[in-house]
Amino acid sequence: MVPGMAKLNDIHQRGMLRYKMSGCSHVPLGSSSSFLGSVTKPASNLKLATSMPHVLCTCVFGARHYRRIVRRASRSGLTTSRPGRPARARQPPQQQSIQKSKREVLRNPQEVLRKVTAMKDSEAGSTLFILNKADAICWLWFLGQANLRKWGPLSAEESFRKPSNQCWIGAGLEQENQALGWLATKVSKFARDGCLDASELSNALLASTYLKPCHPQITPLHRSCATALGAVASDADAKSLSNSAWSLAKFANDDRVVLDLICRGAVNKADSFSLLDIEKLIWALATLKVHDRELLDVFVSVIKLRGESCKPQGISNLAWSFAKLSADGSTITPLLQDMALGQCKDFKPQELSSFAWALAKLQTQIMPGLNHDIAMAAIDKLQHFSPQSVSNLSWALATLSVEDFGLLKSMSAKVRGRLDDFSPQQLANFAWSFGKLTVCDPDLFKKLAFAAMTQLNKFTMQGLSSIVWAFASVSIDDTALMGSIFKLAAARIGECKPEELASIAWSLASFGHLDGQRRDLLTAISREVARRSVRLGPRELSNIAWAFATLGVLDDALFRLIADNSQKCLSNFKPQELSNLIWAFAKQETKSCRGMMKQSVQAASDRLLFEDFTSQHCANLAWAASVLELQPVDRSILLDRIAHRSLMILPQFKPQELSITVWAFATLLVENSELFNKVSKVSTGTLDKFKAQELANLAWAFATMAENSEGLFDGIAMHAHQKIEEFKIQEIANLVWAFATMGETSPKLYDAASIALLAKVSGFNPNILTHAEVSHFAVQATAVVWALNHAGHKTSNIISSLRAALTSAGRAHDDAAIMLSKQQPLIGKQKDLGGLDVKLLDNLIGTDKKPAISLDLPDRLVVWKPEGWEVERNPGQEDDLERDGSRHPLLRLFVEHVLPCRQWPIVCKQEHHFGLLHRLDVPSSGLLLVAKTHEACYDLELQLKGGFLQRDYIALCHGWLPWGTTTVNARLLWDASRHGKLLASRICKQGKPSETYLRTIGHLHRGEQMHQLYTLSVVRIATGRRHQIRAHAAHVGRPLVADFMYSSSGVFVEDLDWCNRNFLHRYRLAFRDGIQNQQEVTRGLPS
C-alpha cells in the first residue's frame, strides 16, 4: 500500500461525496476509496500531482474536499503540486480519464467509453466493476443524457422527447457496446437485488429510455427496474412517479400492476405534483390506454387550482391525453378552454392542431371567443403547419362543425400547393373535413384528386371511402379519380368495414348516376352485405338501404335481408337511422317487408313523443307516411305526432323540409290548420332560400288544402318569377295549378310560366327520348295548359307550339309501334277476347244495350256507351271482379274488338288508357272519344286541357231548379286510397276544383201529387271529376233520378218504379279532327 493511502481511504469512507447533476436529485458518486483504493502501485512509480490535475479534482470532488485530500496526503508523505509549486506524482492516464467533468462526459461520451474499455485490459480497468450503485446510476444517467441531446423536438401529442431510431453512443465500436452492456447489467443486478430506492429506479428508467436503441441489454435493464419499482412506488415522490410512468409509456411497457401502484401513489401525493409532472403522468396513461377515473378526477381538481400558470405546450399535452383516455369532457374541457383563452397566439402549430383535435375527440363545442382565437392563430401560422397538423386541425373543425370560412379559405389557399407532401391518411382526413363542412372549392378538390391519384394504391379502404364521401358531399364527381377508386374498391370490397361499405354506397347515391362500373360496385356491395349482414349495425343498414332506394336499384333480396336484420335491433336505431330506413323502404315500395315496415313506423311513432327527432327526420317520416300503405289509424297517429314534433322545432326546418312536410300532409289530405299557418309564417320570411321545386311543392300543398295565408302566395309569385327558368315542366304545372285553383291573379307569373313552357317545348326532341318520356312530357305540358286556361290566361301560342311538337312525336311512335306489332306472331282469333264474350254482342244487336260506333274518322272515333258498361278498370280490380263473375262488361274490350291491336297498338296500352280519352259512370250512358293513334291521343288530350272539347249532358233532377243557368263551383274529393269501388265523391275544401253548369230547359211533375217535381236540365262541365254532375246536383239539393249513391234509399226505390236507370246521358261531343276541322256528334236518349 502506498504510504498514507490507507489513511486517505479511511477519510472518505466516513461519508459519500454528493454531486448535484442537472435534471435530477443529488446522485451519489461513491467514496473516494472507489477512486484512490485502486492506487496500489509503489510510491516510486506514483506521483499524485500528475495523476489528478487540480481543476478536474475540484470539479469531481469539490474544492473543500480536494484541499482536505491534499493536506492528508502531504502528512502521509505524498507530495502535491499546484501552480507555482513543486510537481507531484502523476496518475496513470487510464485512471485520469475517469475523473472527466460532467461537461466532457456529455460532450464526448464515446471517448469516455473507449477509455473505460481500455481499463478493462489493465489492473486499474476493474474500476467499473467496483463502482457502487450510486456510481453506476450516475454513469448511466450521464450516458442517457448524452444520447438525448442528439434528438430533436417532437410533436406535442407525443409529448416531451422520444427515442430516435438510431443511437450514436457506441455506434460501430464493439468495445464501447460491451462497456455500455456491462454498465446496464450492473444496474439491472442492483435493481433485482432491491438495492435501489424509488428515485434511483426512476433515474435508471429514464436513462434506459434515452438509451433504448443503443444496446440489447437496455431492455432487460428497463424491465428489471420497472419490476423493482412496484415494491417501492409508495415511497416515490411526484417527480419519480411521473418520470417512471413516462418511461414505461416510451417502452410500451403495459405492466398493469406497476402502473396501478404508480396511480395509487399519485392519488395519495397529488398535492405535491407540479403541472409538468401531471402532464407527463397523464400522457403516459393515455399512451398506454390506462384509464384510472379516480386519478383523473383528482388531477382535474389540482389543475383547477394551478391551471392559470399552465403554458401552451402543457395545455396541448393535457388536452391530448384526456382525449386519448376518452375522459369525461364536461369537467376538463371547460377548464382547458379557459386556460387556453388568450394564449392561442403563443401556441406552436403542432400544439394548436393537437389542442383542437383533442377538443373534437372530447366532443366539446369550442367557446366562441376561443374559436376566434384558434382561427386567428392558425391563419397566422399556417405556413408552418406540417401536413399532420393541417390534417388534425381540419378534422377537428369538421368534427366540431366550426364553419370559420376565413380559416378554411386560408387553409385551402396555403395548403393546395403542398398536397404532394401529404400521406394518404392525411389526404383522406383533409378531404373529409372539407366535405363534412360542405366547402365546395373546385380548384382545391382538383388538386386533391391529383395528389390522391399519385398514391392511390397506398390508401386503406377507410381512406378511399373518406375521399369518395368528401367528393360526393360537395357534389364534385371527378370522373378519373372516382373511376379508379370504384375499380379498386370493387376489387378490395372484402377489406371494407361495415361503415366503409355504407359510406361508399351513400356516395354512389349522392352522385346520382350509374354507369357500368358503378353498377358493378353496387352489386359487389350487395354481395358483401349478404355475406356479413349479421355484423351490420343500424347506421350501416339504414345508409345502405337509403343509397339503393335513392338510386332506384331494385334488389328485393337485399331489402329483405336489411329488413330481417333491422327487426332484430330496431330499438337501437337512432332517429336519423330510423327515419332513413322507413324512407328507403317507402321509396322502394317493397311489399314483401310490410311486417318490418309496420314495426318501424310504430317505433318511430312511439319515439316521436320523447326523442330528439330533427326537422329532417320529421320530413322524411312525413314523406314516407304519404307513400306507404298504412292502416288509417296508424297513419293518423303517426301524422299527429309528426305535426306535434314539427311545431316544436319549426324554426329549425330548412326550406326543403318545410315543403316536403306540408306536401305529405296535403297528399294524404290530412287537415292541420295550425301546422300550415306556422309553416306559412316561417316560410314567408325565407322564400328567397327556396329552390324551384320547393316553391312549387309549397304552393301546391297550400292550394290542395285550400289554406291561403296572407302574403304567402304573393311571396311565392315574386320569387318563382325570378327563378322560373329553374323550374322543371312538372313544377311549372304544379305552381300554375296552385295559383289558378286558389283564384290568385298573378299575370306576371302566368306570363313567365308561358314563356318558360314555350322554351321547353322548343327544346323538346322526341328522337332522343323513350316513348314513356315523351308521354310524361305530354302529360306535364298539357297540365300547364289546363292550369293557365283555368286561370283565364291565353294559351293559343302554347297550344300551337305544343301541338306541333306532340304531333311529330306521336307520329314517330305510331310508326315504331306498328313495325313492332308486325314482327310479333299472329294469334288466331279467339271467341273470348280478354273477357268480352262475342255472344254477348250478338245477343245485344238491335237493342240500346250494345256499344256502337257513332263516328269513325281516320285517327279517332266516337263510341256509344250504353248504361251498365264500365269504361276501364285497373288490372288488380279487373282480376278480382272476373273471379267473382264480373257484372259489368268492359267498354275497352269492345274497342279492342273493333280496333285490332296489331293495326292500332295504342288500344292495348294501359299508360294511354287504351286510347279512351275520358270516362262515364257505369249507370250513365253517352258518347266517348277514342284515339286510334298516339298522334290523335296527344291532340285530343291537348283539346281537353285547353278547353276546346265540349261535353254536354241531359239530366233529370228531383225538385225544381230556377230557370236559366245554375253554376255549381264546389271542390270534389274522391278518396281513392280507401279502395272502395262504390265510394261517393264528397264536397270538401281539400277536394279538386270542380265547376258544373246546369241550364234548366223544363219543369216536370209526376202523378196527381205536385210534390213529385223534377227539372230537366242540359249540363256542361268545365272540369271532369269523378261523379261530378251527380255530386254537384245532390250538393244543391237536386239529386238525379234513380241515383242510388247520392239520393236517399227511399227516394231511390220509388224512382225505380218508373225509371230503372240513372237519368244522366251524355248526348253531345264537339271536338276537332286530325286536320283541325270542327266535328260534332249527338245521340238522343235511349229508349
Side-chain angles (χ1 to χ4, degrees):
M1 176 73 67
V2 177
M5 186 62 69
K7 195 171 184 179
L8 185 60
N9 286 342
D10 180 63
I11 293 172
H12 292 284
Q13 287 173 355
R14 296 175 186 176
M16 304 290 289
L17 293 176
R18 310 293 290 181
Y19 186 82
K20 188 174 182 180
M21 299 186 305
S22 173
C24 67
S25 60
H26 289 81
V27 178
L29 288 174
S31 67
S32 62
S33 62
S34 64
F35 163 64
L36 295 175
S38 63
V39 184
T40 57
K41 300 292 183 179
S44 59
N45 297 330
L46 281 176
K47 290 185 179 180
L48 184 60
T50 60
S51 64
M52 181 182 290
H54 168 69
V55 176
L56 290 181
C57 187
T58 302
C59 181
V60 176
F61 293 105
R64 182 180 177 185
H65 291 289
Y66 169 71
R67 288 192 295 271
R68 186 180 303 168
I69 291 171
V70 171
R71 286 197 302 271
R72 297 289 177 90
S74 299
R75 295 170 190 171
S76 302
L78 291 174
T79 61
T80 61
S81 156
R82 297 185 71 172
R85 295 184 182 183
R88 289 169 288 183
R90 292 169 93 48
Q91 288 185 346
Q94 297 92 338
Q95 191 70 20
Q96 183 180 354
S97 66
I98 299 180
Q99 307 303 328
K100 292 288 186 178
S101 66
K102 171 189 171 187
R103 181 181 302 173
E104 188 170 346
V105 171
L106 293 178
R107 186 173 64 244
N108 196 358
Q110 296 99 329
E111 185 67 24
V112 173
L113 286 174
R114 283 197 295 270
K115 291 182 178 182
V116 171
T117 302
M119 287 190 299
K120 173 179 175 295
D121 300 328
S122 65
E123 188 174 352
S126 61
T127 301
L128 187 62
F129 295 99
I130 65 172
L131 288 174
N132 62 19
K133 63 175 184 177
D135 296 316
I137 296 294
C138 175
W139 282 106
L140 192 68
W141 172 261
F142 283 164
L143 293 173
Q145 286 290 302
N147 206 38
L148 175 65
R149 295 296 175 90
K150 291 296 182 180
W151 301 335
L154 301 178
S155 59
E157 63 267 28
E158 294 186 353
S159 180
F160 313 108
R161 300 180 182 274
K162 68 179 181 182
S164 62
N165 293 327
Q166 296 180 348
C167 174
W168 62 278
I169 289 184
L173 295 177
E174 182 63 27
Q175 295 85 351
E176 294 181 11
N177 279 330
Q178 290 179 4
L180 183 58
W182 295 333
L183 184 59
T185 303
K186 180 67 175 178
V187 177
S188 296
K189 187 175 185 305
F190 284 140
R192 289 194 300 271
D193 294 343
C195 299
L196 304 180
D197 61 21
S199 178
E200 293 166 338
L201 287 170
S202 172
N203 288 330
L205 285 169
L206 279 177
S208 67
T209 304
Y210 303 146
L211 294 169
K212 180 180 178 182
C214 298
H215 196 280
Q217 285 298 324
I218 298 299
T219 299
L221 166 65
H222 176 88
R223 292 173 182 167
S224 300
C225 292
T227 304
L229 182 66
V232 295
S234 59
D235 300 327
D237 59 10
K239 185 176 292 294
S240 297
L241 289 171
S242 62
N243 286 345
S244 299
W246 182 84
S247 177
L248 290 173
K250 287 297 184 180
F251 257 88
N253 186 350
D254 188 12
D255 190 330
R256 293 303 170 119
V257 175
V258 176
L259 288 167
D260 185 61
L261 291 170
I262 290 175
C263 291
R264 301 284 69 76
V267 170
N268 296 331
K269 298 180 176 67
D271 292 339
S272 63
F273 271 73
S274 67
L275 284 175
L276 179 62
D277 295 333
I278 292 174
E279 294 167 23
K280 293 175 74 172
L281 182 51
I282 295 181
W283 178 89
L285 297 180
T287 302
L288 295 172
K289 300 179 181 179
V290 178
H291 188 91
D292 192 298
R293 181 64 180 271
E294 182 184 5
L295 176 62
L296 293 179
D297 291 342
V298 171
F299 275 172
V300 168
S301 301
V302 176
I303 294 170
K304 285 182 180 179
L305 298 175
R306 307 178 187 173
E308 293 180 357
S309 60
C310 196
K311 302 299 181 183
Q313 183 182 9
I315 297 171
S316 176
N317 287 335
L318 285 172
W320 182 89
S321 301
F322 276 95
K324 291 293 284 186
L325 288 170
S326 301
D328 182 9
S330 61
T331 57
I332 188 61
T333 48
L335 182 60
L336 291 171
Q337 293 191 65
D338 286 336
M339 292 159 56
L341 200 61
Q343 295 194 64
C344 287
K345 63 181 182 299
D346 299 325
F347 276 68
K348 296 178 181 178
Q350 292 172 332
E351 296 164 355
L352 196 63
S353 64
S354 179
F355 179 62
W357 176 90
L359 293 180
K361 288 291 286 186
L362 289 168
Q363 299 180 351
T364 301
Q365 193 65 36
I366 299 180
M367 294 171 10
L370 182 61
N371 179 19
H372 177 266
D373 288 353
I374 290 177
M376 292 298 98
I379 291 173
D380 291 340
K381 301 172 182 178
L382 267 177
Q383 65 271 21
H384 302 299
F385 272 64
S386 67
Q388 184 63 52
S389 297
V390 171
S391 174
N392 285 350
L393 180 60
S394 62
W395 182 89
L397 294 174
T399 303
L400 294 170
S401 299
V402 177
E403 297 181 348
D404 192 306
F405 292 105
L407 173 57
L408 293 170
K409 184 178 179 180
S410 298
M411 190 179 294
S412 171
K414 294 183 179 180
V415 168
R416 66 182 63 184
R418 301 165 51 197
L419 290 175
D420 291 339
D421 299 331
F422 280 56
S423 69
Q425 185 62 46
Q426 293 162 356
L427 281 174
N429 287 347
F430 186 67
W432 179 88
S433 303
F434 274 69
K436 178 73 164 54
L437 294 170
T438 60
V439 179
C440 186
D441 187 335
D443 187 49
L444 174 64
F445 275 85
K446 182 179 180 180
K447 292 185 181 298
L448 273 170
F450 181 79
M453 283 289 286
T454 59
Q455 44 185 332
L456 202 58
N457 292 326
K458 299 179 183 178
F459 276 81
T460 62
M461 285 307 301
Q462 181 186 14
L464 291 175
S465 65
S466 295
I467 288 285
V468 171
W469 185 92
F471 276 75
S473 297
V474 296
S475 303
I476 296 178
D477 191 354
D478 189 287
T479 308
L481 177 63
M482 293 301 111
S484 300
I485 290 180
F486 293 149
K487 182 179 180 180
L488 195 58
R492 296 169 55 186
I493 199 71
E495 302 175 23
C496 287
K497 297 177 182 177
E499 58 269 23
E500 293 157 8
L501 283 174
S503 179
I504 293 173
W506 181 92
S507 302
L508 286 170
S510 297
F511 284 131
H513 71 276
L514 288 176
D515 54 21
Q517 189 179 58
R518 301 185 184 201
R519 194 173 292 277
D520 291 343
L521 179 56
L522 269 183
T523 303
I525 291 174
S526 178
R527 286 198 303 266
E528 192 65 18
V529 169
R531 187 178 70 84
R532 60 167 85 174
S533 60
V534 293
R535 288 182 285 171
L536 295 179
R539 183 177 182 180
E540 290 77 37
L541 289 168
S542 64
N543 282 353
I544 291 173
W546 180 90
F548 276 73
T550 300
L551 289 169
V553 177
L554 300 177
D555 192 331
D556 287 338
L558 173 66
F559 273 81
R560 284 196 300 271
L561 198 61
I562 292 175
D564 292 341
N565 284 277
S566 298
Q567 280 183 294
K568 301 173 185 177
C569 56
L570 269 179
S571 59
N572 298 329
F573 276 68
K574 296 178 181 179
Q576 179 177 2
E577 296 159 356
L578 188 60
S579 65
N580 283 350
L581 184 73
I582 294 173
W583 181 92
F585 276 85
K587 181 80 171 169
Q588 285 290 85
E589 300 179 359
T590 308
K591 296 181 179 180
S592 59
C593 304
R594 287 180 176 174
M596 191 280 297
M597 288 308 305
K598 183 176 181 180
Q599 292 183 25
S600 300
V601 170
Q602 183 63 48
S605 182
D606 294 340
R607 292 164 63 177
L608 270 166
L609 294 175
F610 58 87
E611 291 194 20
D612 292 334
F613 278 73
T614 66
S615 56
Q616 182 185 9
H617 307 155
C618 292
N620 284 351
L621 287 174
W623 183 88
S626 69
V627 175
L628 293 171
E629 295 180 0
L630 303 177
Q631 293 295 326
V633 175
D634 295 337
R635 180 188 290 125
S636 177
I637 293 174
L638 176 61
L639 289 172
D640 284 345
R641 292 178 178 175
I642 290 173
H644 177 74
R645 176 62 183 168
S646 299
L647 287 169
M648 294 172 60
I649 58 173
L650 205 59
Q652 302 174 16
F653 273 61
K654 297 177 182 177
Q656 182 184 26
E657 296 158 355
L658 286 170
S659 64
I660 286 177
T661 302
V662 293
W663 178 91
F665 275 75
T667 300
L668 295 171
L669 299 173
V670 175
E671 189 173 2
N672 192 314
S673 296
E674 182 183 7
L675 176 64
F676 275 79
N677 287 337
K678 290 194 174 182
V679 168
S680 174
K681 293 178 181 179
V682 172
S683 302
T684 302
T686 59
L687 285 173
D688 57 318
K689 299 178 182 178
F690 278 65
K691 297 179 181 178
Q693 183 182 15
E694 295 156 3
L695 287 170
N697 286 347
L698 186 69
W700 181 90
F702 274 79
T704 298
M705 300 303 294
E707 297 281 355
N708 189 2
S709 296
E710 184 178 356
L712 177 63
F713 276 85
D714 291 338
I716 292 176
M718 181 181 69
H719 290 93
H721 181 270
Q722 296 171 357
K723 302 176 182 179
I724 197 67
E725 294 180 356
E726 302 173 15
F727 280 69
K728 297 179 182 178
I729 190 168
Q730 180 64 56
E731 295 159 0
I732 295 174
N734 289 346
L735 180 70
V736 178
W737 179 90
F739 275 77
T741 298
M742 296 298 292
E744 295 285 338
T745 55
S746 183
K748 289 184 178 180
L749 177 63
Y750 295 146
D751 289 339
S754 300
I755 294 172
L757 179 58
L758 283 171
K760 295 184 184 300
V761 171
S762 64
F764 174 68
N765 185 1
N767 297 325
I768 61 174
L769 301 176
T770 64
H771 185 190
E773 290 171 339
V774 171
S775 300
H776 190 57
F777 176 84
V779 170
Q780 294 174 337
T782 54
V784 178
V785 171
W786 182 92
L788 290 172
N789 183 64
H790 187 74
H793 193 75
K794 294 181 179 180
T795 58
S796 55
N797 292 338
I798 298 176
I799 291 176
S800 299
S801 299
L802 189 57
R803 177 180 290 112
L806 293 179
T807 297
S808 175
R811 190 176 299 120
H813 284 307
D814 286 327
D815 294 340
I818 292 174
M819 289 294 294
L820 182 62
S821 65
K822 289 181 178 179
Q823 295 173 4
Q824 296 175 350
L826 182 63
I827 301 176
K829 187 175 181 180
Q830 300 177 356
K831 193 172 186 179
D832 185 5
L833 297 176
L836 179 63
D837 193 346
V838 177
K839 287 184 177 180
L840 174 63
L841 297 177
D842 296 337
N843 295 335
L844 294 176
I845 293 176
T847 70
D848 289 331
K849 297 295 184 180
K850 180 191 175 194
I853 306 298
S854 295
L855 178 65
D856 189 358
L857 298 173
D859 61 350
R860 62 201 77 188
L861 55 81
V862 177
V863 177
W864 155 258
K865 183 194 91 70
E867 174 268 334
W869 283 70
E870 190 170 2
V871 176
E872 63 168 308
R873 305 186 198 111
N874 62 50
Q877 288 176 316
E878 184 176 343
D879 293 342
D880 294 340
L881 289 171
E882 285 177 356
R883 284 194 296 268
D884 298 336
S886 179
R887 294 171 309 209
H888 306 300
L890 286 174
L891 185 68
R892 75 166 184 83
L893 296 179
F894 168 78
V895 173
E896 186 179 338
H897 178 62
V898 297
L899 297 174
C901 289
R902 192 173 180 83
Q903 184 178 358
W904 311 104
I906 194 172
V907 300
C908 297
K909 292 185 177 181
Q910 184 182 358
E911 62 269 25
H912 289 289
H913 300 284
F914 310 101
L916 296 160
L917 188 65
H918 38 214
R919 291 171 177 263
L920 271 176
D921 298 339
V922 172
S924 304
S925 59
L927 302 170
L928 288 99
L929 268 169
V930 179
K932 297 181 181 180
T933 64
H934 294 90
E935 182 182 350
C937 181
Y938 293 144
D939 178 52
L940 291 173
E941 187 69 27
L942 190 57
Q943 290 185 47
L944 178 65
K945 298 296 177 64
F948 298 105
L949 194 151
Q950 295 178 357
R951 295 163 288 178
D952 293 334
Y953 302 78
I954 188 166
L956 187 64
C957 309
H958 283 278
W960 280 4
L961 284 170
W963 290 100
T965 301
T966 301
T967 301
V968 183
N969 194 340
R971 286 179 170 237
L972 276 176
L973 175 66
W974 185 77
D975 194 353
S977 63
R978 293 165 64 187
H979 303 290
K981 180 185 175 184
L982 300 179
L983 288 178
S985 293
R986 53 194 174 94
I987 308 294
C988 67
K989 74 173 188 176
Q990 294 86 13
K992 294 182 179 180
S994 307
E995 193 168 359
T996 305
Y997 308 101
L998 297 96
R999 183 164 59 87
T1000 301
I1001 60 175
H1003 289 150
L1004 310 173
H1005 69 89
R1006 189 174 66 85
E1008 297 179 357
Q1009 297 180 356
M1010 295 295 293
H1011 67 273
Q1012 293 184 351
L1013 306 176
Y1014 305 92
T1015 299
L1016 187 64
S1017 301
V1018 173
V1019 184
R1020 178 172 292 180
I1021 56 176
T1023 55
R1025 311 303 178 196
R1026 187 182 295 265
H1027 301 173
Q1028 178 174 324
I1029 297 174
R1030 298 163 64 188
H1032 274 179
H1035 177 63
V1036 295
R1038 298 293 180 260
L1040 302 184
V1041 170
D1043 192 340
F1044 71 93
M1045 189 172 290
Y1046 293 94
S1047 59
S1048 65
S1049 57
V1051 172
F1052 173 67
V1053 171
E1054 291 181 6
D1055 288 344
L1056 289 180
D1057 290 340
W1058 61 277
C1059 182
N1060 61 0
R1061 52 154 292 182
N1062 177 246
F1063 206 118
L1064 180 64
H1065 170 71
R1066 183 187 286 167
Y1067 75 95
R1068 177 177 178 271
L1069 280 176
F1071 60 95
R1072 294 176 180 174
D1073 59 19
I1075 57 175
Q1076 298 304 301
N1077 289 330
Q1078 189 70 24
Q1079 298 287 341
E1080 180 177 330
V1081 181
T1082 59
R1083 172 119 182 188
L1085 284 168
S1087 58

